[in-house]
Amino acid sequence: MSDQLQLFDASLPEENPWEVDSREEHPAATVVFSEGIEQPLDYAIPEGLLGKVQKGCRLLVPLGKSNRLCEVFCVDVHTFRQSQWKLKYIAKVLDAQPLVSSRMLEWTRWIADYYLCPWGTVLQTVVPVGVRSQAGTRETIFYQLSPEGAALWQEYLRHGSVTTSFRLTEPQLKILLTLHKAGKPLTTEELTRQAKVSAGPIRLLKSRGLLQVEKERIFTRPTEVVSVQPQGDLSLNADQQRALEQIRHLLQAKSGETLPEREFPGLGKVRSALIHGITGSGKTEVYIQAIREVVRMGRQAIVLVPEISLTPQTVERFRKRFRNIAVWHSHLTDAQRYEEWCRISRGDVEVVIGARSAIFAPTPRLGLIIMDEEHETSFKQETAPRYHAREIALGRGALEKVVVLLGSATPSLESWYAVEKGESTLISLPQRVENRPLPHVETVDMRVPDRTPTRGVIGRKLHIAMRECLAEGHQMILLLNRRGYSTYIQCPACGTVLSCPHCEISLTHHRTTHELICHYCDYHQPQPETCPHCGSRAIRYSGTGTQKLEQEIAARFPKARVFRMDTDSMQGRDAHEKAFSRFRAGEIDILLGTQMIAKGLDFPNVTLVGVIQADTALHLPDFRAEERTFHLITQVAGRTGRGKWGGEVLVQTFQPENPAIEFACQHDFCGFAQYALPLRQALQYPPYGSMARIIARGREEKKTLQTAEMLAAEIRKEGGDLLRVLGPAPCPVTKLKDFFRFHIQIQAPVRETLANILRQVQKQIKTPEEVPWIVDMDPLSML
């Protein structure tokens, strides 16, 4: 490939055994590195590896003057002829079969271009470490009859004896008989156990050519078999049936039929639908019956959910409806991940369920992609490659010609705008199942003095509602999106705020461990008895986190069974599943926690939801702050009123007049979209334009700022009037993990224009090594 970089010039005087003179055509492979070298390189294929080097396999290749062996992915196999270059030879092939198909290679290259990151980095993400290391397996020897051994055994069966230069002993005859009856290769352990012999006769038969040996990797632990009671499809109401018919039409539509589509340059066009269904409208049942259609066609489906906490509940529903499902999320061990990967790639599963990385599942017969709660920010990866699962799902749908369904009660404004532009089909579920009413939502203005006799964050109105809920034997959910006990620690004597020594952020008091913790870098220090600066003992702990709320509830309602769910309490591998199982079984009266309890959960006995501090994130320096507040309140409100008793929601806020809170309390997404989209359009924020965020970080503040200024100047020079460049400015969290951070915000009307200019800057500009910088395309976090 003429556009690939070559390692050594032909003018080098010495001839090395790993180099091949390229004056004639030679087989070669193009490889990509996971780090260090961003451009693909070409390597010659030695004669002994011809036929073994395949696209999608990993290789070991020598790099640099020291010929250090590096693991790479092969992305192309071709012939090479160019007399002025010499190529190094590939050292080893690591995979007998490709780990990445040709179609997946095409898709991952598009992801790398789309998010401006190295192709090898994307491939490292697509093929996780557990798969690359074949975790949970060991290489095992299998024995079977060789052609000579099979002929000898047939002779023995016919004549009762054999003509050989040696005598077959009774143990040897048992071995031949056992392998003949088995009809398949057996391990040494299986063969010795079934034939009731030692390993000696096996080795002897092998040495005489009567047995042949194969080596294969097998899993060291038995495959877990989950037994569930199968369940038939549920009856659909009129809205659900209409939605299913619309999906069927998308699945069965001919290629020439005019339907809303979005084009992805280089991949094709994708047909997608936004399922806007209010909370409790039965979206999951529509998903299941749509997947049933796909499975009948002999195809597979991928279902993405935003949080690990939602996976167990979703998996339980799908296990009752499909014979073979696979689960894919970050809490799996490497061995579990590799086992699921093998099942998926063999085509043994009908449905793959998991968090954002499940979009990389190697399904050979993909027929449908579903993304539930598509608005969730957890679908965006914050480390390279900084992809958004929604965008790459649509890209995969375009490449593989499959339908993509995006579902949410509170869609992202990007997905809603795609419907308005005619790029996606809108499917509405405006009513709850069984025509249950939406819960009544009421704001509680916390600016009004509260007459409750006890101090705390639970207002009088919420306290009364909680008391009534418990008296009726029902359950409730309380949302407070702050971890820890106290969120702010200050000495009133000298004014010192206890902050993280590595980050410019105040420490959070965790009373359960008597520590102060930084939630950004995980710095821990013991809870001090005196101010570290002036020695005063009058340290003041302010602010309320979930731990303090738990203590307040225990004091107010000592007989209630309370359980807290946040990052600190959900540490075990099955912690989420166990907690939700207990809540569903009625063993918990009050479930309190952070946003992990706010979405996707269905508990019919929940009749009360309380939002403790609704405006916590409302004034963060982020243009999506109102949208996120609207999503969170609407979603948590939807957890109640799903049973026959109805539901009530109380939203405690200091800004009840804020449009995001008002629209959320009215369950009015369309009203919120009509309010928010013109504001975005006025400033050309997404979805009306494209955005990128560049972050430079370094240990020296001045040098970091200078580097950021140099980057901004180069971007302005390359972009001219095509871009809007803001900054550099200190990040809202300026110092993080001992690094000073400055960011630049770049906007453009067209994404391709923005990406091309930033790609050019990446190639041209040279910045100090001690000040690394990253490009985040389509950023979700501005902190």
Side-chain angles (χ1 to χ4, degrees):
M1 297 176 65
S2 59
D3 61 337
Q4 307 301 323
L5 300 179
Q6 312 306 324
L7 287 181
F8 291 91
D9 191 276
S11 61
L12 288 177
E14 66 272 16
E15 291 287 342
N16 295 315
W18 55 80
E19 294 177 346
V20 57
D21 191 337
S22 298
R23 285 184 289 272
E24 301 199 9
E25 287 194 353
H26 293 276
T30 303
V31 305
V32 292
F33 295 75
S34 60
E35 57 184 21
I37 298 176
E38 295 192 5
Q39 295 295 326
L41 301 179
D42 283 338
Y43 280 83
I45 302 175
E47 188 174 346
L49 296 182
L50 288 175
K52 296 181 180 179
V53 176
Q54 304 176 67
K55 291 169 61 174
C57 286
R58 292 172 304 140
L59 312 172
L60 284 181
V61 298
L63 181 66
K65 293 182 179 180
S66 65
N67 292 303
R68 173 174 57 94
L69 292 180
C70 298
E71 182 180 307
V72 297
F73 272 93
C74 174
V75 296
D76 193 24
V77 178
H78 55 95
T79 57
F80 188 89
R81 181 176 185 178
Q82 194 168 336
S83 59
Q84 69 266 35
W85 298 111
K86 291 181 180 180
L87 296 181
K88 288 190 174 186
Y89 277 118
I90 294 167
K92 187 177 181 180
V93 178
L94 296 178
D95 304 306
Q97 299 295 329
L99 298 180
V100 186
S101 67
S102 295
R103 185 173 287 175
M104 291 283 275
L105 280 174
E106 186 178 351
W107 179 49
T108 53
R109 182 167 189 170
W110 173 83
I111 294 173
D113 290 340
Y114 196 84
Y115 288 101
L116 276 66
C117 69
W119 192 358
T121 302
V122 178
L123 288 169
Q124 289 280 90
T125 302
V126 171
V127 185
V129 63
V131 174
R132 299 196 299 272
S133 64
Q134 298 180 307
T137 66
R138 67 168 185 268
E139 191 171 68
T140 304
I141 294 175
F142 286 83
Y143 291 96
Q144 63 181 350
L145 294 176
S146 66
E148 295 81 4
L152 189 69
W153 179 249
Q154 290 300 324
E155 181 183 349
Y156 179 80
L157 290 178
R158 287 194 301 269
H159 306 294
S161 62
V162 293
T163 306
T164 61
S165 58
F166 56 87
R167 186 177 67 85
L168 285 174
T169 64
E170 183 177 349
Q172 291 171 346
L173 286 172
K174 287 182 178 179
I175 292 168
L176 297 178
L177 172 62
T178 301
L179 287 172
H180 173 72
K181 285 184 175 180
K184 65 177 183 179
L186 299 176
T187 65
T188 304
E189 181 183 0
E190 292 171 335
L191 188 52
T192 55
R193 185 180 68 252
Q194 294 181 27
K196 298 181 180 179
V197 298
S198 65
I202 297 175
R203 290 193 294 268
L204 188 59
L205 288 175
K206 175 192 168 188
S207 67
R208 290 172 173 170
L210 300 181
L211 299 184
Q212 62 185 26
V213 174
E214 294 179 355
K215 291 183 179 180
E216 184 181 334
R217 298 198 72 88
I218 64 170
F219 286 96
T220 56
R221 67 180 185 91
T223 301
E224 182 181 359
V225 178
V226 180
S227 178
V228 295
Q229 186 67 34
Q231 184 184 74
D233 288 343
L234 305 180
S235 298
L236 302 181
N237 62 28
D239 291 331
Q240 290 173 306
Q241 189 62 48
R242 192 179 305 111
L244 183 60
E245 289 302 324
Q246 287 180 272
I247 295 170
R248 282 177 178 150
H249 182 61
L250 288 172
L251 292 171
Q252 299 168 5
K254 304 292 188 245
S255 57
E257 188 174 345
T258 302
L259 286 169
E261 293 179 322
R262 176 179 168 187
E263 184 166 4
F264 284 82
L267 296 180
K269 295 181 179 180
V270 61
R271 287 178 177 170
S272 65
L274 174 62
I275 303 180
H276 178 213
I278 64 171
T279 56
S281 58
K283 292 186 293 294
T284 302
E285 185 62 28
V286 175
Y287 298 155
I288 288 173
Q289 297 200 27
I291 293 171
R292 183 87 69 205
E293 298 287 328
V294 171
V295 170
R296 288 195 188 104
M297 302 175 191
R299 310 288 289 277
Q300 299 162 288
I302 294 175
V303 179
L304 304 179
V305 294
E307 295 274 1
I308 184 65
S309 61
L310 301 184
T311 308
Q313 179 175 282
T314 306
V315 168
E316 181 183 352
R317 291 181 179 180
F318 277 79
R319 283 198 200 281
K320 293 177 180 178
R321 313 291 282 280
F322 297 96
R323 290 181 294 108
N324 296 304
I325 70 166
V327 180
W328 191 272
H329 54 70
S330 59
H331 281 208
L332 297 178
T333 64
D334 284 346
Q336 290 172 327
R337 194 182 299 271
Y338 180 51
E339 185 175 8
E340 294 291 71
W341 190 90
C342 290
R343 294 177 59 229
I344 295 167
S345 60
R346 289 195 304 264
D348 294 345
V349 303
E350 298 169 330
V351 188
V352 181
I353 304 170
R356 63 173 176 258
S357 60
I359 191 57
F360 300 122
T363 48
R365 306 184 311 277
L366 184 61
L368 180 65
I369 299 172
I370 296 174
M371 189 171 178
D372 195 24
E373 310 293 355
E374 64 85 26
H375 66 278
E376 276 295 326
T377 57
S378 58
F379 281 123
K380 169 76 171 176
Q381 172 136 318
E382 297 300 334
T383 57
R386 293 172 177 82
Y387 67 89
H388 195 300
R390 179 180 61 236
E391 291 302 304
I392 65 171
L394 290 166
R396 187 172 182 182
L399 178 66
E400 302 205 34
K401 307 300 182 219
V402 301
V403 172
V404 179
L405 302 180
L406 309 174
S408 177
T410 55
S412 63
L413 293 179
E414 286 82 357
S415 295
W416 188 257
Y417 184 61
V419 170
E420 291 188 349
K421 285 200 302 181
E423 293 181 347
S424 184
T425 299
L426 178 63
I427 298 176
S428 295
L429 292 170
Q431 299 292 330
R432 282 190 159 188
V433 294
E434 299 180 3
N435 290 320
R436 294 189 182 115
L438 285 166
H440 171 69
V441 183
E442 182 179 349
T443 57
V444 179
D445 190 346
M446 300 303 287
R447 296 171 299 189
V448 177
D450 198 352
R451 295 186 177 88
T452 181
T454 57
R455 298 176 61 188
V457 293
I458 298 175
R460 181 172 180 271
K461 197 159 195 171
L462 180 57
H463 176 92
I464 294 172
M466 292 173 65
R467 186 177 62 199
E468 292 174 352
C469 179
L470 292 171
E472 293 168 356
H474 295 154
Q475 296 170 295
M476 72 189 78
I477 291 175
L478 298 183
L479 171 71
L480 174 60
N481 207 21
R482 288 283 182 88
R483 292 164 53 198
Y485 188 83
S486 299
T487 58
Y488 188 75
I489 307 106
Q490 186 175 28
C491 172
C494 67
T496 297
V497 175
L498 276 66
S499 58
C500 175
H502 308 290
C503 310
E504 288 189 350
I505 199 77
S506 61
L507 293 168
T508 300
H509 176 216
H510 284 245
R511 192 168 183 175
T512 53
T513 56
H514 303 288
E515 291 179 308
L516 306 186
I517 300 176
C518 174
H519 289 167
Y520 283 85
C521 72
D522 205 33
Y523 166 81
H524 289 57
Q525 75 174 50
Q527 176 183 336
E529 295 184 3
T530 61
C531 173
H533 290 270
C534 72
S536 171
R537 302 183 68 87
I539 296 178
R540 181 178 298 160
Y541 293 84
S542 306
T544 300
T546 49
Q547 291 180 9
K548 185 184 283 188
L549 177 61
E550 182 181 25
Q551 184 184 57
E552 181 178 342
I553 294 170
R556 291 183 182 231
F557 306 101
K559 294 183 180 180
R561 296 167 296 176
V562 184
F563 191 85
R564 171 171 55 89
M565 285 189 69
D566 53 27
T567 306
D568 304 305
S569 62
M570 297 290 101
Q571 295 293 330
R573 187 171 300 280
D574 301 321
H576 295 87
E577 188 170 2
K578 290 176 181 177
F580 288 135
S581 294
R582 288 184 58 203
F583 193 53
R584 186 176 294 106
E587 299 174 12
I588 298 168
D589 300 315
I590 304 174
L591 181 67
L592 71 97
T594 54
Q595 61 180 353
M596 67 173 62
I597 66 171
K599 52 212 139 186
L601 304 173
D602 187 359
F603 300 110
N605 197 38
V606 173
T607 60
L608 175 66
V609 164
V611 182
I612 302 301
Q613 294 174 355
D615 30 28
T616 299
L618 202 52
H619 299 294
L620 291 175
D622 189 333
F623 70 93
R624 290 190 175 91
E626 284 192 324
E627 183 180 6
R628 287 179 181 151
T629 299
F630 171 83
H631 288 167
L632 189 60
I633 295 175
T634 306
Q635 288 288 338
V636 73
R639 299 314 107 208
T640 186
R642 290 169 173 254
K644 59 185 178 181
W645 301 284
E648 180 184 11
V649 183
L650 293 176
V651 179
Q652 296 187 167
T653 173
F654 290 95
Q655 283 191 293
E657 71 281 355
N658 183 278
I661 294 176
E662 285 185 336
F663 284 118
C665 291
Q666 296 164 14
H667 307 283
D668 186 5
F669 170 78
C670 293
F672 175 74
Q674 290 172 6
Y675 155 76
L677 283 173
L679 299 179
R680 297 278 184 92
Q681 187 176 20
L683 296 172
Q684 289 300 294
Y685 278 127
Y688 293 96
S690 189
M691 177 186 288
R693 182 180 184 227
I694 289 179
I695 303 173
R697 56 195 290 269
R699 295 187 182 275
E700 296 182 34
E701 185 175 11
K702 183 177 179 180
K703 183 175 286 189
T704 306
L705 175 58
Q706 290 172 343
T707 302
E709 289 173 339
M710 180 171 58
L711 283 165
E714 185 67 21
I715 293 168
R716 288 187 173 99
K717 175 184 171 184
E718 289 291 331
D721 295 335
L722 298 175
L723 302 181
R724 179 189 182 206
V725 183
L726 302 178
C731 293
V733 181
T734 305
K735 188 181 179 185
L736 188 65
K737 300 180 182 178
D738 292 321
F739 284 88
F740 293 95
R741 304 161 69 242
F742 292 86
H743 63 166
I744 307 163
Q745 180 178 305
I746 312 105
Q747 292 173 244
V750 182
R751 192 186 197 285
E752 288 71 20
T753 302
L754 176 59
N756 289 336
I757 292 171
L758 292 180
R759 195 176 292 115
Q760 192 67 23
V761 171
Q762 281 181 324
K763 292 178 181 178
Q764 292 178 351
I765 197 165
K766 301 295 182 184
T767 56
E769 289 186 7
E770 61 270 27
V771 186
W773 56 283
I774 60 100
V775 178
D776 186 5
M777 296 295 293
D778 307 331
L780 286 189
S781 173
M782 304 302 291
L783 300 181

